[in-house]
Amino acid sequence: MTELLLRNVRPMGGAAADVLVLGGRIAKGAAPDGIATVDGAGALLLPGFVEGHTHLDKTTFHQPDWLVNEVGPRIIDKIDTEREWRARTGHDAGAASLAMARAFLAQGTTRIRSHVDVDTSGGTRHVEGVLRTREAMAGLQDIQIVAFPQSGILARQGTESLLDAALAMGADIVGGLDPCAIERDPVKHLNIVFGLAERHGKPVDIHLHEPGAMGAFSLELILERTRALAMQGKVVVSHAFCLGDITERERDALLAQMAELGVGIATTAPASRPVPLVAPCRAAGVTIFGGNDGIRDTWTPYGSPDMLERAMLIGLRNNLRRDDEIALAFDCVSDAGAAGCGFAGHGLAPGARADLVLVEARSLAEAVVARPPRRLVVSGGRIVARDGILVA
Amino acid sequence: MTELLLRNVRPMGGAAADVLVLGGRIAKGAAPDGIATVDGAGALLLPGFVEGHTHLDKTTFHQPDWLVNEVGPRIIDKIDTEREWRARTGHDAGAASLAMARAFLAQGTTRIRSHVDVDTSGGTRHVEGVLRTREAMAGLQDIQIVAFPQSGILARQGTESLLDAALAMGADIVGGLDPCAIERDPVKHLNIVFGLAERHGKPVDIHLHEPGAMGAFSLELILERTRALAMQGKVVVSHAFCLGDITERERDALLAQMAELGVGIATTAPASRPVPLVAPCRAAGVTIFGGNDGIRDTWTPYGSPDMLERAMLIGLRNNLRRDDEIALAFDCVSDAGAAGCGFAGHGLAPGARADLVLVEARSLAEAVVARPPRRLVVSGGRIVARDGILVA
C-alpha cells in the first residue's frame, strides 16, 4: 500500500489537515475513491527522522548479555578494546546492524548514515554485514554506508586497499579520522581519504575529535582539499569539537569557509565537552545535523534509536528552550539531516517521499521534550510500524 | 499492606534474592506464613528514587494547553515572566504540585525536595498549595519544601516576613538566590537567609547560578556563615556553577571546605554550561546529588518525573561511560540524594524504609541508559504503582 489518506493530522504541530499519499509520495488534490484511510485524531505529523551519524555495525543492541564497560579513558583505549573485542567474539555486524536499523524504523527513522569500520583485523566484513542490512531494509529505510577507518589508515598497512574494496562493493562515502591526533600525519591521511573520494567519485565524512587549534588546523586542511577538488557540497565533518573551543572570531572565519564550500557538520551534541553550537552554524549558513554516534557498544552504553531523544539532547546542549528554538533542534534530525547527508525528497511538501511519523503531542516542542510513543510510522507511503512495533 | 515478600529480584543488579518487607521496612529473616508475595521474575530492584531539586509549584504538567515559551534570554526575564504569568493565570500550585508529585511516584520517586516560590505577588499561597500536596501524599512520598525567594528578598519589601510566615506554616528549609548577581548585596541577603534559618532552626538551600569568581565569592560567604552558625550538614548549594569554571586548584580548595562543613551540592547537570563535576566532588568527600529543576514550566519545557532519566543526563554531562561510573550517576538520584537532603532510612539494607522500584534491566547501567518502564513501585511497603500507573 503506497496510497494512503491521513485524515485530521497536524503537520509540524500546525492546523489540522488531511494528507494524501499517492505512489509513495505526498500528493495534492482529491483522494481517489476507496483509498486506505487513517484517522489521525488530531495527532502531530512529522516527516520521517534522519539519523546523520551512527555506527550500526558496532552495537550490542541485539545481544542477550549486557556488555560491561571497563574501558580505559583514552580514545586509543576504546579503539583497541573494540577491535580486539570484535575479533574475540566474532561480533556479527550484519545481525547487529539489522536489529538496530529495525529499532530505528520502529521509532520513525527512515534515513540513516552509518559509519562502518574497515580495518586490517575485520577487513571489509563489517561493511558486508551492513550492506546485507541495507538490502534487507530497501524500500523501507535508506542507509548510507561510510567506509570508516576507525583504527587509522597509516598505522595499519593494507587499510587503504580495504577502504578501496569497501567503496567498490557499495559503500557510499569515504571516512576519515583525526588526521593529527590519531594518524600523526595529517597531509598523508587526508591525501589518501580525498584520493579515494576522487577515484570513486564519492563524498567524504571525517571524524574530527581534535580540540582547539589542532582541530582547526586539520579542518583547514580538509577545506583546502574540498576547494582544490571542487567537492563543494560533498564533505561532512563529524563532531568538529574544535569549533566549540576556539575564539568566536576564529570559529566564524572557519564557518564562513564551510558555508561557502557547502561543508556540513554532524554533531551528537555531547554534554561533556565543547561542541559546535547550532545557532552560530546556522547563522553562518552551515548545515549542522544530528546523530547518536554509537549505541550500546564498546565505546558507550548510551544512545537510543529514538531521534526525538537526540533532538532533545541537542536542545539541552544548546540551551534551546523557546518553542522556536526547539524547532531548530528538531530540524537537526529532520530537514538539516537530509540536506547534510544528501537524502532527497525529505519533508512534508507535495512531491516529498511519504516518510511520516504520527505522535500524540500538542506542539513540535512537546514532541521533542516528551518524546511520545510513535503511534504510526509510514515509509514510502507504506505503514511500517504502529505504537512502536514494526508491522509485517 | 506493609508486609510483602519480593521473590527473585536482583538488588542493584546483583544476584537474585528474596526481599522481605515487615512493618513498611526491609527486614531480615523468614517470611511469615501467608504474606503477600510478588514474583520479581529476575527483575532489577532499586531503592525509591530521590528528586533533590525541583519546583513542584511551577509546573504546567497538569494543564490541557501547551505553554508556548517565548521568554527572553536573561535570568531576570524568566523570573519576571513567571511571576507575571502566575498572577495573570491564577496558576494553582496545589493542583500543579499534586499532579507532578503523583507522576514522580508512578516513576518510582518516593522522596522530593521542592523549592517553592515565596514573593510579594503570590505571598505564601504557592507554599500553601504544596503543603496540601504534601498532606495528600503523606505516607506515600516525602516532600521537603524550601521557602524560596525566586524574585529576591531585597528588591521586594515584605519578602522576608513572607519567608518567615512560610517557615512558620511548615516549610522545611530556607531558600536563597544569587546573592551578588540578583540580590546585589550578598552580605545583606545571606544574613537574612541564615538569620531565618537560625530563628526557625531549619536548614538552608541556596540557588547559586553565579559563574566563576563571583560565584566562588558568594560560596565563600555561605561557607563562612555555615561555620559561624555551626550549621554543619545543614546547608546545600544548588547549581554551584562556579565550581565548573574556576581553576581546579581554586575548586578543590572550596570543595575541601565544603566537605569539612558538610555542605552538599544539588546539580541538574545542565549540558549547556560549566557545572560541578561528580568525580572531583566525590573525591573531596562532598555529597553531590541530582534533580530536574523545573519541569514544563515558564523557565523550561524540558525535564521528566523519571529520575532514571536525570541519572542518564548526569552520566552524559560527566562522561560517565563505564558501568562503575554509571553507578555514581545513579547514586546522585539515590543514596547521595537522600544523604544530601537528609531523608533517613534510604536504601536496600535491613531496616531501611521499603521504598522499592522494579525494572526490567540486566544491570544497573542498563537501567540508567535505557530507563525501562517501572514494573512495580513500592512505598513504605505498599504497592503504589504498576507499569507506570498509580494504583488506588
Side-chain angles (χ1 to χ4, degrees), chain A residues 23-164:
Chain A
R25 297 195 166 262
I26 296 174
K28 275 200 279 205
D33 284 346
I35 191 170
T37 300
V38 170
D39 179 8
L44 197 76
L45 182 72
L46 300 170
F49 309 141
V50 179
E51 162 54 90
H53 182 117
T54 191
H55 295 263
L56 294 178
D57 59 318
K58 293 174 186 278
T59 189
T60 66
F61 198 78
H62 61 309
Q63 291 187 339
D65 294 328
W66 177 252
L67 178 70
V68 176
N69 184 319
E70 298 175 309
V71 76
R74 299 167 305 164
I75 281 200
I76 197 68
D77 297 330
K78 296 174 172 66
I79 291 173
D80 290 345
T81 295
E82 176 179 56
R83 196 182 53 254
E84 288 155 16
W85 170 81
R86 287 219 211 192
R88 192 174 70 247
T89 62
H91 180 72
D92 177 355
S97 59
L98 183 61
M100 194 81 252
R102 288 170 56 88
F104 268 114
L105 186 64
Q107 300 297 323
T109 293
T110 54
R111 264 87 183 258
I112 296 175
R113 172 174 287 197
S114 176
H115 298 252
V116 182
D117 283 15
V118 173
D119 62 47
T120 52
S121 168
T124 58
R125 90 182 158 83
H126 308 314
V127 170
E128 291 157 40
V130 183
L131 282 166
R132 287 194 299 277
T133 291
R134 176 161 80 182
E135 186 63 31
M137 298 301 282
L140 300 172
Q141 190 177 49
D142 293 339
I143 299 176
Q144 292 178 344
I145 296 174
V146 183
F148 174 50
Q150 173 78 75
S151 293
I153 300 173
L154 304 182
R156 297 177 177 272
Q157 191 123 35
T159 305
E160 181 180 355
S161 39
L162 289 167
L163 290 169
D164 195 63

Side-chain angles (χ1 to χ4, degrees), chain B residues 226 231-236 257-264 285 287:
Chain B
T226 303
M231 285 186 64
Q232 282 82 350
K234 302 285 185 196
V235 175
V236 166
Q257 278 196 70
M258 295 176 81
E260 182 206 336
L261 294 168
V263 173
T287 299

Side-chain angles (χ1 to χ4, degrees), chain A residues 9-343:
Chain A
V9 294
R10 290 179 305 113
M12 304 301 282
D18 296 345
V19 171
L20 177 63
V21 175
L22 295 177
R25 297 195 166 262
I26 296 174
K28 275 200 279 205
D33 284 346
I35 191 170
T37 300
V38 170
D39 179 8
L44 197 76
L45 182 72
L46 300 170
F49 309 141
V50 179
E51 162 54 90
H53 182 117
T54 191
H55 295 263
L56 294 178
D57 59 318
K58 293 174 186 278
T59 189
T60 66
F61 198 78
H62 61 309
Q63 291 187 339
D65 294 328
W66 177 252
L67 178 70
V68 176
N69 184 319
E70 298 175 309
V71 76
R74 299 167 305 164
I75 281 200
I76 197 68
D77 297 330
K78 296 174 172 66
I79 291 173
D80 290 345
T81 295
E82 176 179 56
R83 196 182 53 254
E84 288 155 16
W85 170 81
R86 287 219 211 192
R88 192 174 70 247
T89 62
H91 180 72
D92 177 355
S97 59
L98 183 61
M100 194 81 252
R102 288 170 56 88
F104 268 114
L105 186 64
Q107 300 297 323
T109 293
T110 54
R111 264 87 183 258
I112 296 175
R113 172 174 287 197
S114 176
H115 298 252
V116 182
D117 283 15
V118 173
D119 62 47
T120 52
S121 168
T124 58
R125 90 182 158 83
H126 308 314
V127 170
E128 291 157 40
V130 183
L131 282 166
R132 287 194 299 277
T133 291
R134 176 161 80 182
E135 186 63 31
M137 298 301 282
L140 300 172
Q141 190 177 49
D142 293 339
I143 299 176
Q144 292 178 344
I145 296 174
V146 183
F148 174 50
Q150 173 78 75
S151 293
I153 300 173
L154 304 182
R156 297 177 177 272
Q157 191 123 35
T159 305
E160 181 180 355
S161 39
L162 289 167
L163 290 169
D164 195 63
L167 293 160
M169 70 178 59
D172 307 281
I173 298 149
V174 188
L177 177 73
D178 292 340
C180 294
I182 302 276
E183 287 286 67
R184 324 301 294 173
D185 188 340
V187 166
K188 197 165 176 190
H189 174 79
L190 290 174
N191 285 350
I192 291 173
V193 168
F194 278 87
L196 285 164
E198 206 180 6
R199 205 143 72 240
H200 289 272
K202 293 188 172 175
V204 162
D205 190 332
I206 297 179
H207 286 231
L208 187 62
H209 308 91
E210 294 165 2
M214 175 169 50
F217 168 65
S218 291
L219 181 50
E220 285 166 357
L221 298 184
I222 292 168
L223 297 178
E224 286 167 15
R225 282 157 183 75
T226 303
R227 191 185 299 278
L229 296 174
M231 284 186 64
Q232 281 84 349
K234 303 285 185 193
V235 175
V236 166
V237 178
S238 286
H239 307 309
F241 294 139
C242 60
L243 292 169
D245 66 357
I246 52 180
T247 68
E248 292 186 0
R249 185 185 294 265
E250 290 165 337
R251 176 197 73 194
D252 290 344
L254 285 165
L255 289 177
Q257 278 196 70
M258 294 176 81
E260 182 206 336
L261 294 169
V263 173
I265 298 172
T267 185
T268 68
S272 60
R273 59 181 302 169
V275 293
L277 294 176
V278 170
C281 289
R282 291 183 70 104
V286 172
T287 300
I288 179 166
F289 58 97
N292 271 278
D293 214 338
I295 299 174
R296 309 269 186 287
D297 61 25
T298 62
W299 290 67
T300 178
Y302 297 99
S304 162
D306 180 0
M307 291 308 292
L308 288 178
E309 183 163 305
R310 184 56 43 184
M312 179 187 79
L313 293 172
I314 292 170
L316 287 168
R317 180 65 186 83
N318 286 270
N319 199 23
L320 304 174
R321 298 182 179 207
R322 294 166 51 108
D323 285 55
D324 55 1
E325 293 172 333
I326 293 174
L328 303 183
F330 176 74
D331 194 66
C332 290
V333 303
S334 184
D335 287 0
C341 294
F343 288 117

Side-chain angles (χ1 to χ4, degrees), chain A residues 63-72 78 271-272 296 299-302 304 309 312-313 315-323 326 362-363 365-366 369-371, chain B residues 63-72 78 271-272 296 299-302 304 309 312-313 315-323 326 362-363 365-366 369-371:
Chain A
Q63 291 187 339
D65 294 328
W66 177 252
L67 178 70
V68 176
N69 184 319
E70 298 175 309
V71 76
K78 296 174 172 66
S272 60
R296 309 269 186 287
W299 290 67
T300 178
Y302 297 99
S304 162
E309 183 163 305
M312 179 187 79
L313 293 172
L316 287 168
R317 180 65 186 83
N318 286 270
N319 199 23
L320 304 174
R321 298 182 179 207
R322 294 166 51 108
D323 285 55
I326 293 174
R362 292 165 291 182
S363 66
E366 185 175 31
V369 302
R371 300 145 285 147
Chain B
Q63 291 188 336
D65 294 328
W66 177 253
L67 179 68
V68 176
N69 185 318
E70 298 175 308
V71 76
K78 296 175 172 65
S272 60
R296 309 270 185 286
W299 290 68
T300 177
Y302 297 99
S304 162
E309 182 163 305
M312 178 187 80
L313 293 172
L316 286 169
R317 180 64 184 85
N318 286 270
N319 199 25
L320 304 173
R321 298 182 180 207
R322 293 166 53 108
D323 285 56
I326 294 173
R362 292 165 292 181
S363 67
E366 184 175 29
V369 302
R371 299 145 285 147

Side-chain angles (χ1 to χ4, degrees), chain B residues 170-195:
Chain B
D172 307 281
I173 298 149
V174 189
L177 177 73
D178 293 340
C180 293
I182 301 274
E183 287 288 66
R184 326 297 299 173
D185 188 340
V187 167
K188 196 166 178 188
H189 174 79
L190 291 174
N191 286 350
I192 292 173
V193 168
F194 279 87

